[in-house]
Amino acid sequence: MATTDAPAIRLDGLVKDYPTQDGGTFRAVRDLSLSIEEGAFYGLLGPNGAGKSTTIHILTGLARRTSGVAEVRGLDVSRDFRKVRRMMGLAAQEFAFDQFLAIEEVLMYAGMYFEMSRGQAKRRARELLERFELAHKRKERVQNLSGGQKRRLLIAKSLMHDPDILILDEPTAGIDVALRRDLWSYLREQNRAGKTILLTTHYIEEAEALCDQVGIIDQGRLVAEGTPAELVESGSGDRVIVGLKEPCREDPERLAAETGFQVAILDDGLSLVARGGRGGEMAGALMETLQRHAIRVDGLEIKRQSLEEAFVRATGAEIAPDGTIVRRDAAQDRGVNV
Ligand SMILES: Nc1ncnc2c1ncn2[C@@H]1O[C@H](COP(=O)(O)OP(=O)(O)OP(=O)(O)O)[C@@H](O)[C@H]1O
Ligand SMILES: [Mg+2]
């Protein structure tokens, strides 16, 4: 039964096994649980093959789950497929259009599939073509569109029946920077107007710019979740990196005691890295201490803790003191066999 307080989307212990060529199974989604409230802007962030599209396909009826719960507004996605499908607009990652239709027709058919009249569908199609800067191409066949234009058409198509829940799988892949910004502001507008949005992305910047809730998914598992700020906060904090004109011969412990922050000496003494505090404070304390020891500074850089670091951490990589990313061998626990 649908209940008024049910979240827009609820997954609980979701599992998806795909059959493999050698007769085995591959577990693409492992015990995935998440809840997306009405009106949320939720970003599913993960590397290639993490299980993002599979999760979206299960929600929208393009794939069948192996086990677990998948509900939209309290309705089971398979049992109540038609009702659920109408609530959602999907822009899939892969293009699946009739290449020979004019793009206006593509949109109209999508509207008519959801029982719009021809006239309604035409009006809505024109409005969306205008919005996505495709109006001048409306008589053109899909096959004659550029990659970025196809992507925009796909998003327009998902919006035809004005769904309450938008599900966008990599919506800005292949879209140029200016149009990406424009799409971001459109999506923000839609979210403010009340639509719940679930998007997947590789762009950490995109998740940070748009989403109020982010789930990091890796190898089929949800490995971290929170607001972008919470995910950033959970990290190791800012780093200050100071380059020196001559190698530093001081004891790092002593520098740490004097500055009040952790200090590491790298590059044969030619750089110092401080962590454990806010960037500005650490920079001030380090400069003072270095001056006192007559150590000459060549340059200073403050690296802010970012969602990128949170992402890297959650997906099993490590960040070395100098900020480089050390990726753990992900292949060794990819868990090909269930
Ligand atoms: N139809 C299928 N049959 C077999 N394996 C599949 C199928 N679809 C996906 N997989 C596998 O499931 C895993 C998850 O794929 P999925 O497409 O969900 O990843 P993703 O997170 O969307 O990745 P990307 O960022 O590359 O789009 C991958 O290892 C993929 O090879
Ligand atoms: Mg995908």
Side-chain angles (χ1 to χ4, degrees):
M1 273 297 288
T3 52
T4 46
D5 57 357
I9 291 170
R10 184 169 84 91
L11 305 176
D12 194 4
L14 190 70
V15 171
K16 175 65 185 178
D17 292 337
Y18 285 117
T20 53
Q21 292 302 327
D22 61 5
T25 46
F26 173 77
R27 184 152 286 186
V29 175
R30 301 163 172 259
D31 192 22
L32 185 69
S33 302
L34 57 87
S35 182
I36 303 177
E37 294 306 319
E38 290 284 347
F41 201 139
Y42 192 101
L44 208 48
L45 192 62
N48 288 140
K52 303 180 295 294
S53 295
T54 301
T55 303
I56 279 179
H57 292 167
I58 291 169
L59 272 171
T60 52
L62 297 176
R64 262 179 189 281
R65 79 200 109 151
T66 302
S67 60
V69 173
E71 288 177 353
V72 173
R73 290 187 169 160
L75 297 173
D76 183 88
V77 294
S78 333
R79 218 171 23 245
D80 287 299
F81 172 72
R82 290 190 66 82
K83 272 192 204 158
V84 163
R85 193 61 193 82
R86 174 178 291 276
M87 294 171 189
M88 296 184 292
L90 167 69
Q93 182 173 9
E94 306 293 334
F95 299 119
F97 295 117
D98 184 337
Q99 297 283 329
F100 299 104
L101 285 179
I103 67 173
E104 186 175 53
E105 289 170 328
V106 166
L107 295 187
M108 285 175 61
Y109 288 140
M112 281 146 66
Y113 175 81
F114 288 108
E115 285 149 35
M116 289 171 107
S117 72
R118 212 185 151 74
Q120 276 175 325
K122 191 162 194 147
R123 272 195 303 280
R124 178 77 173 149
R126 293 261 167 110
E127 186 184 309
L128 289 169
L129 287 172
E130 201 66 55
R131 181 61 189 82
F132 288 99
E133 294 177 34
L134 291 168
H136 61 299
K137 297 275 181 188
R138 74 192 165 85
K139 296 286 177 209
E140 209 62 64
R141 288 175 173 188
V142 174
Q143 62 179 5
N144 298 340
L145 295 186
S146 75
Q149 289 166 341
K150 281 186 192 156
R151 180 71 57 202
R152 273 138 58 204
L153 180 63
L154 207 58
I155 296 165
K157 188 173 165 226
S158 73
L159 288 157
M160 271 302 289
H161 64 297
D162 197 19
D164 291 342
I165 302 171
L166 266 182
I167 301 193
L168 310 170
D169 198 356
E170 313 263 350
T172 59
I175 291 190
D176 69 41
V177 178
L179 283 167
R180 179 178 300 165
R181 299 277 161 182
D182 178 59
L183 183 65
W184 284 4
S185 73
Y186 181 78
L187 293 177
R188 275 196 205 99
E189 231 172 75
Q190 295 288 311
N191 180 242
R192 271 200 296 272
K195 286 199 199 304
T196 304
I197 303 181
L198 164 61
L199 66 72
T200 74
T201 184
H202 287 118
Y203 300 113
I204 289 166
E205 192 199 353
E206 182 161 283
E208 202 151 27
L210 293 177
C211 302
D212 46 43
Q213 198 73 15
V214 172
I216 298 178
I217 179 173
D218 189 30
Q219 297 174 37
R221 289 192 182 87
L222 193 71
V223 290
E225 198 186 31
T227 64
E230 280 165 359
L231 290 171
V232 168
E233 284 286 308
S234 67
S236 51
D238 297 344
R239 271 173 300 129
V240 173
I241 301 159
V242 180
L244 304 175
K245 287 196 193 288
E246 303 103 31
C248 171
R249 303 283 170 227
E250 299 293 329
D251 177 5
E253 298 288 333
R254 183 163 166 208
L255 295 176
E258 286 180 32
T259 56
F261 302 105
Q262 301 158 39
V263 178
I265 301 179
L266 305 168
D267 297 337
D268 294 326
L270 282 173
S271 41
L272 300 181
V273 178
R275 37 195 345 155
R278 292 228 317 278
E281 286 170 37
M282 289 192 289
L286 259 185
M287 295 310 278
E288 234 179 79
T289 305
L290 293 175
Q291 211 165 27
R292 220 170 25 246
H293 290 269
I295 299 174
R296 292 195 300 146
V297 170
D298 195 30
L300 178 142
E301 194 184 353
I302 298 178
K303 290 210 180 216
R304 301 266 170 219
Q305 170 72 11
S306 67
L307 187 57
E308 181 165 352
E309 270 182 283
F311 173 77
V312 164
R313 209 175 41 252
T315 54
E318 283 171 29
I319 298 182
D322 62 353
T324 51
I325 293 166
V326 185
R327 222 185 192 309
R328 183 184 54 139
D329 182 10
Q332 72 194 15
D333 61 351
R334 195 161 278 285
V336 171
N337 298 306
V338 181

